[in-house]
Amino acid sequence: MAAKELRVAIVGAGISGLTTAIALRQRGIGATVFERADQLREVGAAVALAANATRLLDRLGLGDPLSAVSAEASELIFRSWLDGRRISAHPVGEVYRNRFGAPFYGVHRGDLLDILANAWGRELVHVGHNLTGLREARKAIVLEFEDGTEFPSDLVVGADGIHSTVRRYVTTEGGPVYTCTSGFRGLVPLAAVPLLPDPQALQFWMGPGAHLVHYAICDGRVNFLAVLDGPQKWSAGANAAPAAPDELAARFADWHPAVRQLVNAVPQGPCWALLSQPPLRLWSRGQAVLIGDAAHAMLPHHGQGANQAIEDAVVLAECLASVSIGGHREAFDRYQRLRRTRTRAIQRSSWDTSPLLHLPDGPAAIARDMDLNRLVERFGWIHAYDAQKMHKPDMTRILNDHLHRPDAK
Ligand code: FAD
């Protein structure tokens, strides 16, 4: 039987699930996508897509629709919370494209999801299917849904996000942990923030116990994420919770006027817990495998969660396409080898970045500011990465294996 006859079920029609479906189809493998929501819709604000993901989306044929709904940041700027001073600035736009070979975009999450859903085919997503369990049956893995229906498949891809049900089948390792930081998100019309300097830039405002990051999207709005230390406790399971009505305004009350104008320009949204998944030892079990937030949810400080989900999707599709049917163990092992070290490194680096962005004024903040140019340069490894090139077989190893065959002359 040819690999293209594999039956792959994907649980979750978010960024990772839909990208996997498209990448599999590009390689001749069919998939069935299940989504628990009754319709495809994206809550929340925007997402920043870096070159390591935009180059892959372009190869999936999505470059043009993506560029039509995206804004390219002009600069990356770090500012002081109090006087708005530019501490460090780096060109993005064309300079970034030339350096990394693909653009850096700000895009509304709804637009990104639309592009992915339209490319896959909205009608092909089985909405209203809440996966409650998985079980092994003869030669198949059976998906069990809340409404009592079942679906047998050869393989299952768990693209079901941070509170993944598939992860509970794959591993007994613990789920995501609360990082004692939380965030508020908002989308603000540019016209409402005349005080904001360099509104087309990706900017970090750093201050004691908090930071604010924002970038423009293409519909004339600015997306912001305000990250705060605390609260110290968060009830397990909930992603977001209502906050005191003026919580956000109060936390930024003594910040630069542009920051105050930004966070006060729209009604305060819910407070989001910032969670991180401790690195998993195993990403697959039997016929089920994890991708995206289900495998490695991370803090947003490198803006890489969705980008890593896109890398996962393409690498998993390539690994599956390179084995014949029945070879999925080899494909899953290779996928995990290719993805685990990189995603761990980014998880770790995002974790380490948080306190750096929240330093109180004083010697440590001064040292950070003096070193910021070098720090930013160091993160080039995240953006320069080409997940597909890394997937190609390691020719040195193949040559060595060949030379050291017992029968090699
Ligand atoms: P999700 O987007 O969570 O999608 C999972 C899908 O599975 C959902 O549609 C869900 O309904 C469905 N599902 C769940 N359970 C079931 C079930 N049992 N049965 C069927 N379907 C199910 N990343 C970036 O790259 N750049 C950024 O700028 C950025 N900013 C962020 C800001 C914040 C505040 C946060 C919290 C995250 C940010 N991220 C960012 C991270 C990014 O949002 C995630 O990494 C990304 O959405 C993960 O995609 P996913 O498809 O794996 O999971």
Side-chain angles (χ1 to χ4, degrees):
M1 224 188 308
K4 68 168 81 133
E5 292 169 49
L6 256 184
R7 292 171 303 165
V8 179
I10 298 173
V11 183
I15 295 167
S16 57
L18 289 170
T19 311
T20 306
I22 298 164
L24 284 172
R25 180 161 63 196
Q26 197 184 50
R27 289 156 182 81
I29 300 175
T32 310
V33 181
F34 296 99
E35 167 58 47
R36 76 174 163 198
D38 289 332
Q39 50 176 302
L40 288 186
R41 64 178 176 284
E42 179 58 59
V43 288
V47 68
L49 292 177
N52 53 306
T54 55
R55 77 174 98 259
L56 303 180
L57 293 172
D58 187 47
R59 288 180 202 147
L60 291 174
L62 305 177
D64 288 342
L66 187 62
S67 106
V69 296
S70 299
E72 221 172 339
S74 54
E75 274 180 287
L76 165 64
I77 302 173
F78 290 84
R79 289 184 186 273
S80 153
W81 67 285
L82 192 56
D83 57 11
R85 165 176 54 91
R86 285 164 71 112
I87 298 167
S88 160
H90 311 258
V92 185
E94 198 182 341
V95 175
Y96 178 95
R97 250 182 291 131
N98 290 339
R99 175 169 175 201
F100 296 114
F104 184 98
Y105 286 148
V107 59
H108 193 284
R109 294 177 71 101
D111 288 339
L112 175 60
L113 209 74
D114 274 348
I115 288 171
L116 295 171
N118 292 339
W120 170 244
R122 280 175 181 279
E123 65 292 352
L124 298 179
V125 177
H126 298 256
V127 291
H129 280 71
N130 183 20
L131 185 89
T132 49
L134 292 167
R135 72 166 196 277
E136 287 157 36
R138 225 169 61 85
K139 292 196 180 163
I141 181 163
V142 179
L143 292 87
E144 301 167 342
F145 296 103
E146 195 179 14
D147 63 3
T149 57
E150 296 191 339
F151 185 85
S153 186
D154 294 322
L155 303 177
V156 171
V157 177
D160 49 346
I162 197 161
H163 300 295
S164 168
T165 302
V166 179
R167 189 178 57 231
R168 288 199 290 276
Y169 170 83
V170 166
T171 175
T172 53
E173 294 172 72
V177 294
Y178 174 55
T179 58
C180 293
T181 52
S182 56
F184 288 88
R185 302 193 264 189
L187 273 174
V188 176
L190 264 173
V193 281
L195 295 178
L196 193 65
D198 301 305
Q200 299 299 333
L202 165 65
Q203 303 201 71
F204 284 81
W205 299 73
M206 303 178 293
H211 76 274
L212 181 105
V213 56
H214 64 82
Y215 50 86
I217 60 172
C218 84
D219 65 358
R221 288 187 292 174
V222 175
N223 174 70
F224 76 76
L225 169 65
V227 177
L228 310 166
D229 286 347
Q232 285 312 306
K233 288 211 174 106
W234 194 279
S235 58
N239 280 346
D246 292 329
E247 166 89 10
L248 182 58
R251 288 292 291 264
F252 287 95
D254 51 355
W255 283 50
H256 187 273
V259 171
R260 297 206 308 268
Q261 192 173 58
L262 190 59
V263 299
N264 288 314
V266 283
Q268 177 185 291
C271 181
W272 293 80
L274 297 187
L275 307 171
S276 183
Q277 172 66 47
L280 293 176
R281 210 169 46 81
L282 283 180
W283 286 25
S284 68
R285 171 185 155 202
Q287 290 143 286
V289 65
L290 301 172
I291 67 168
D293 274 11
H296 50 62
M298 57 184 69
L299 283 169
H301 309 317
H302 284 313
Q304 276 289 319
N307 291 270
Q308 291 308 305
I310 291 164
E311 287 188 11
D312 287 350
V314 171
V315 173
L316 179 61
E318 292 225 336
C319 289
L320 284 173
S322 67
V323 296
S324 50
I325 203 160
H328 66 273
R329 275 291 2 133
E330 185 190 335
F332 286 176
D333 288 349
R334 180 158 171 72
Y335 159 72
Q336 176 173 322
R337 267 201 312 280
L338 285 163
R339 299 299 306 147
R340 198 172 57 167
T341 311
R342 173 159 166 85
T343 51
R344 272 186 186 189
I346 298 173
Q347 278 184 306
R348 176 67 195 261
S349 184
S350 298
W351 188 290
D352 292 345
T353 300
S354 187
L356 269 185
L357 297 169
H358 293 194
L359 288 173
D361 288 344
I366 292 169
R368 172 202 63 200
D369 293 353
M370 286 171 62
D371 209 25
L372 215 45
N373 285 342
R374 198 184 57 82
L375 269 177
V376 171
E377 280 306 305
R378 238 182 43 201
F379 293 138
W381 62 272
I382 297 178
H383 301 243
Y385 193 81
D386 186 333
Q388 273 175 289
K389 284 206 179 123
M390 300 304 156
H391 170 75
K392 301 288 173 267
D394 176 349
M395 293 315 291
T396 316
R397 186 177 55 76
I398 290 173
L399 194 62
N400 272 333
D401 289 352
H402 177 74
L403 290 173
H404 296 108
R405 273 181 311 148
D407 60 335
K409 301 266 175 327

